[in-house]
Amino acid sequence: MTTPSMLERWAGDYLAQRHPRRALPSRARSDAERRALSRSCRRTVLYAALAGILSGAVIGGMEWYMRQAVAGGLQDMSLTEQLPYWAGFLAVAGVVSAIEILFLYWNALRGVLAVSRIAEVPLQHGPHGLLIKRGLARVALEFPSPRDRVYGIDPYAQMQRWKLTARALLYRMKVGVTSFVLRILMRRIFGRMALRGLLPLITGPLYAVWNGLISYWIMQQARENALGPFAIDSLIADLEQHLERLGDSAREAILHSVGEMLMRHQDAHANHVYLLSRLLDAFAWESHRLDIDWPRQARSLDRLSEAERRWLLDILGLAAVLVGPLRGRRKAFLEEVYRNCGEPFATARLDRLRRAVMNGEALSHA
């Protein structure tokens, strides 16, 4: 596993030091705690939106002032004569954007901390706690998942290299660069229109919506990373009571299906890593290394008992919804496995499972 960056270590330590020491949570979240989770998410999004309104108003207002009061209008100026204006505007926009971006990171980190405290995430509980802490820190900082092999599995084996590079670039642009570029683009668009006098009124709401969407996405990920481990642990606890019902072939099929789901998702999400870790421990898998060969496993599903297939579908269903709403490649793979097992695809049940995970409810085998 790659060594965390200095910023990632700092964010993880910030979360852990302000988090009470506790073992794995042993109970589901209460209704009051679920409401508190929602409030924390809404508050983080609201603060981000307010920061967008404020920065948009400052940048738009400064541009209007520089156009009217300082430059006296730019219509009759040559490009060379406009250079001081452009330099001044970019300097103001850059400083205001930098302050706003720092606030957005701090706001996201505080929001992640609030969610993790309510979820009683065990950030100081051995290697599992370190894994969860690193996942939450990366969510708050908008870092992509590390490009590590997971128990011998390459999560990006099915992704083209150019897509992997593009996605890493977009991650880095999402909060910082795109925020600043949006300001320049909006200035160029509205600067040529009759509405340029209303620029402070137009840009503020646009920046607010942008910041709110990014913060909402961050908080949804924080909730997944904070509550996912409890959902995993509650299902694994049930599994450990029924291990005698699973033969070696069924255990291997379960591990390979989760590994294939990780590759179909094309991301080393902390919840998938944690699920694989708990399964390997529960099955006493000595090598802790998997060489995924799903086509071979798929051909053997009809030899599993009904109880074994039920466990495979339950665990794989959890893996599918642990990392986001069920769609795309994860949904297509799950539908394929359901067909191979001769079971109807239970969309409504999987939607309920997703809600249960995000609400911090205990899971059990059906």
Side-chain angles (χ1 to χ4, degrees), residues 46-357:
L46 175 62
Y47 288 166
L50 290 174
I53 290 175
L54 181 60
S55 67
V58 170
I59 292 174
M62 181 60 69
E63 178 178 9
W64 179 86
Y65 174 77
M66 293 176 72
R67 275 181 177 276
Q68 304 302 320
V70 178
L74 300 177
Q75 294 82 358
D76 300 325
M77 291 184 180
S78 67
L79 182 60
T80 302
E81 292 173 329
Q82 291 180 26
L83 287 178
Y85 161 76
W86 288 112
F89 172 76
L90 291 174
V92 171
V95 170
V96 173
S97 295
I99 293 173
E100 180 196 9
I101 290 167
L102 289 175
F103 171 80
L104 290 176
Y105 278 122
W106 176 84
N107 184 52
L109 195 59
R110 292 288 296 177
V112 171
L113 174 63
V115 167
S116 65
R117 290 177 68 105
I118 296 169
E120 297 185 354
V121 178
L123 298 184
Q124 299 153 325
H125 187 69
H128 287 160
L130 292 175
L131 172 63
I132 299 169
K133 180 177 74 173
R134 185 178 185 186
L136 288 169
R138 297 184 78 89
V139 166
L141 297 172
E142 276 295 276
F143 285 2
S145 299
R147 293 172 61 173
D148 298 328
R149 285 185 173 269
V150 179
Y151 301 111
I153 305 168
D154 180 5
Y156 310 102
Q158 300 178 9
M159 177 181 283
Q160 295 177 334
R161 297 298 100 179
W162 71 266
K163 289 184 179 180
L164 183 59
T165 302
R167 187 167 71 172
L169 179 62
L170 288 173
Y171 257 104
R172 285 163 174 77
M173 292 178 62
K174 188 175 296 178
V175 170
V177 178
T178 48
S179 184
F180 181 72
V181 169
L182 179 66
R183 284 148 173 70
I184 303 302
L185 288 176
M186 295 310 302
R187 197 220 66 80
R188 293 295 295 166
I189 292 171
F190 289 105
R192 297 177 181 273
M193 297 173 58
L195 294 175
R196 66 182 61 176
L198 299 177
L199 195 61
L201 300 178
I202 296 171
T203 54
L206 288 172
Y207 300 165
V209 171
W210 178 260
N211 287 354
L213 288 174
I214 295 296
S215 295
Y216 175 78
W217 190 79
I218 289 173
M219 295 309 294
Q220 288 298 105
Q221 280 201 318
R223 199 159 172 169
E224 287 171 0
N225 280 262
L227 296 168
F230 173 67
I232 293 168
D233 288 330
S234 60
L235 187 60
I236 293 296
D238 197 4
L239 173 67
E240 289 174 337
Q241 303 300 316
H242 300 88
L243 283 177
E244 72 282 353
R245 303 178 66 182
L246 298 178
D248 291 341
S249 297
R251 298 181 187 198
E252 185 177 4
I254 289 172
L255 290 172
H256 280 249
S257 68
V258 174
E260 180 71 14
M261 180 65 76
L262 188 151
M263 291 193 293
R264 296 290 181 102
H265 185 51
Q266 298 181 338
D267 184 59
H269 195 287
N271 281 346
H272 278 165
V273 179
Y274 186 73
L275 175 59
L276 271 174
S277 173
R278 296 290 282 114
L279 286 170
L280 289 167
D281 289 343
F283 294 156
W285 203 264
E286 293 182 1
S287 66
H288 270 60
R289 184 177 180 83
L290 297 167
D291 184 12
I292 302 301
D293 184 359
W294 178 247
R296 177 175 64 85
Q297 293 296 328
R299 291 191 295 271
S300 68
L301 291 182
D302 59 352
R303 295 195 292 271
L304 301 181
S305 69
E306 182 179 351
E308 290 172 333
R309 288 197 298 269
R310 194 70 258 160
W311 269 112
L312 184 147
L313 292 176
D314 279 359
I315 293 172
L316 191 60
L318 176 60
V321 302
L322 275 173
V323 295
L326 187 60
R327 58 174 175 255
R329 293 168 58 89
R330 285 178 289 117
K331 183 177 181 181
F333 176 54
L334 196 57
E335 289 175 336
E336 171 192 328
V337 177
Y338 266 82
R339 286 195 301 270
N340 291 339
C341 290
E343 295 283 346
F345 188 64
T347 304
R349 182 171 179 273
L350 290 164
D351 289 341
R352 289 194 299 272
L353 180 61
R354 168 70 179 174
R355 289 194 295 270
V357 170

